[in-house]
Amino acid sequence: MLGLGALADDHRREPVLNRLQISDRALKWSFLLPSVLILMFLSLYPFLQGIWMSLHQWPLGGGERAFVGTANYAALLGGERFHNALWNTVVFTGVSVTVELILGTALALYLFSLSKRWRPIFRTIFIVPMVVTPIATGLMWRLMLNGRIGVVNYLLYLAGLPIPEWTSSPFMAMFTVIVIDVWQWTPLVIMIVFAGLLSIPESLYEAARVDGAPRWAIFRHITLPGIRYMLAIAAVFRLMRSFRSFDIIWLVTQGGPGTSTEILNVYLYRVAFVFLRGGEAAALGLILLVVTIVTTMGILRAVGVQ
């Protein structure tokens, strides 16, 4: 009897999951399935709701909703303001991301060339702009470029240089928001490329130096292939974030002067919350999603990432 009681106690102390005949794969999915279902609902429901809204006349201020098919898409694609916003998005995203990739790669190479003593110091300095929230960044630059109390104009005045119309002319307004975006998000490229540089074996550089290869040849045949995928990742991250830029542009220029800095995301905000046209806003959001996916897939395919 004592032996049977001891066996029963051991059986009771054994975890329930160990007594059930469940495979490891089924056990993993049983834990993951609730989270997967919740994430699918939170992702799919708004997406399907957006598709449904885009096919309807959906006034956000109240009113009758009616099925209009693809009329919202036709109205957007045929509108001059959409074409202007699309062109502004191409200019803003193309210039800012290109400059960030070039400047970020150069600064990552400089950071990689430093000794281990100085790397943490410069890495901290480089990363500071990225940790500032976009709202704080927009307000800070708005004050710095202010015509009366801005420190940038004051320094230019002391240097005897002409003071540009930072947000008053179309060209300078676009230039200003691009500079702010480059200032804030170049550190992301630096950190990603720097991680790629650390993954390149040092033996490759030593062999190239022994063979007497010049620096440009080393960069072209060793460094650049070694960081190619990291550059693609940085480009994808920045493109996805740049397409969704809103806060900095809205705080600094509000899409102006006129519509010279109104990118698609700013135009989407105006269609939804100023014009209160929910159907067109949903259609514009889906168009922006398609543009983002096509662009990122093109970049990944260009560098050989399948």
Side-chain angles (χ1 to χ4, degrees):
M1 294 297 294
L2 292 176
L4 292 175
L7 290 175
D9 291 340
D10 291 340
H11 183 72
R12 284 195 295 269
R13 285 196 298 267
E14 186 180 5
V16 177
L17 292 177
N18 290 349
R19 298 200 299 268
L20 297 176
Q21 299 297 324
I22 302 177
S23 64
D24 291 342
R25 185 175 182 180
L27 187 62
K28 293 175 183 177
W29 275 107
S30 65
F31 283 112
L32 289 175
L33 190 58
S35 300
V36 171
L37 291 177
I38 292 174
L39 290 175
M40 287 179 62
F41 174 77
L42 295 176
S43 302
L44 289 179
Y45 176 75
F47 178 70
L48 296 177
Q49 178 70 12
I51 296 176
W52 180 255
M53 287 179 62
S54 70
L55 301 175
H56 288 74
Q57 182 183 357
W58 200 292
L60 297 179
E64 184 179 356
R65 301 172 182 175
F67 180 80
V68 294
T70 59
N72 289 325
Y73 295 94
L76 286 171
L77 297 176
E80 182 180 353
R81 192 160 185 176
F82 171 80
H83 295 159
N84 177 73
L86 181 61
W87 172 249
N88 290 337
T89 304
V90 171
V91 173
F92 173 76
T93 302
V95 176
S96 61
V97 173
T98 301
V99 173
E100 287 162 11
L101 290 175
I102 296 174
L103 183 60
T105 302
L107 292 176
L109 290 170
Y110 172 73
L111 183 62
F112 184 72
S113 66
L114 296 176
S115 62
K116 293 184 179 180
R117 176 183 177 184
W118 291 102
R119 280 182 185 177
I121 299 175
F122 280 85
R123 187 166 54 215
T124 303
I125 295 173
F126 288 158
I127 207 173
V128 166
M130 189 176 64
V131 300
V132 182
T133 61
I135 298 295
T137 300
L139 292 175
M140 178 185 69
W141 278 91
R142 184 175 178 178
L143 290 174
M144 290 173 58
L145 299 175
N146 186 276
R148 296 182 178 179
I149 61 175
V151 65
V152 175
N153 290 346
Y154 179 69
L155 293 176
L156 292 176
Y157 171 76
L158 291 180
L161 298 175
I163 299 176
E165 299 178 349
W166 297 108
T167 58
S168 300
S169 68
F171 175 79
M172 286 305 302
M174 180 61 74
F175 174 79
T176 300
V177 295
I178 289 175
V179 168
I180 297 174
D181 190 80
V182 168
W183 177 83
Q184 184 170 32
W185 293 111
T186 298
L188 177 64
V189 180
I190 295 174
M191 294 299 105
I192 294 176
V193 175
F194 181 70
L197 291 173
L198 293 177
S199 66
I200 300 176
E202 183 64 26
S203 58
L204 297 178
Y205 291 108
E206 293 177 355
R209 296 190 192 100
V210 170
D211 293 339
R215 291 185 177 181
W216 171 249
I218 294 176
F219 174 78
R220 179 181 178 183
H221 297 288
I222 297 178
T223 305
L224 194 57
I227 62 174
R228 181 180 61 173
Y229 294 117
M230 290 300 181
L231 284 173
I233 292 172
V236 168
F237 282 173
R238 285 302 305 125
L239 280 172
M240 295 174 63
R241 179 64 180 81
S242 184
F243 280 131
R244 295 184 291 108
S245 294
F246 173 80
D247 27 34
I248 290 178
I249 294 178
W250 187 257
L251 286 170
V252 177
T253 66
Q254 292 189 350
T259 58
S260 58
T261 58
E262 184 181 70
I263 63 174
L264 285 176
N265 213 26
V266 177
Y267 182 43
L268 172 61
Y269 170 81
R270 283 204 168 102
V271 171
F273 300 108
V274 178
F275 308 143
L276 300 179
R277 299 199 293 261
E280 288 188 21
L284 183 56
L286 292 173
I287 292 174
L288 184 58
L289 176 63
V290 171
V291 170
T292 305
I293 293 175
V294 171
T295 306
T296 53
M297 292 299 294
I299 292 176
L300 294 177
R301 185 175 293 275
V303 298
V305 178
Q306 303 296 333

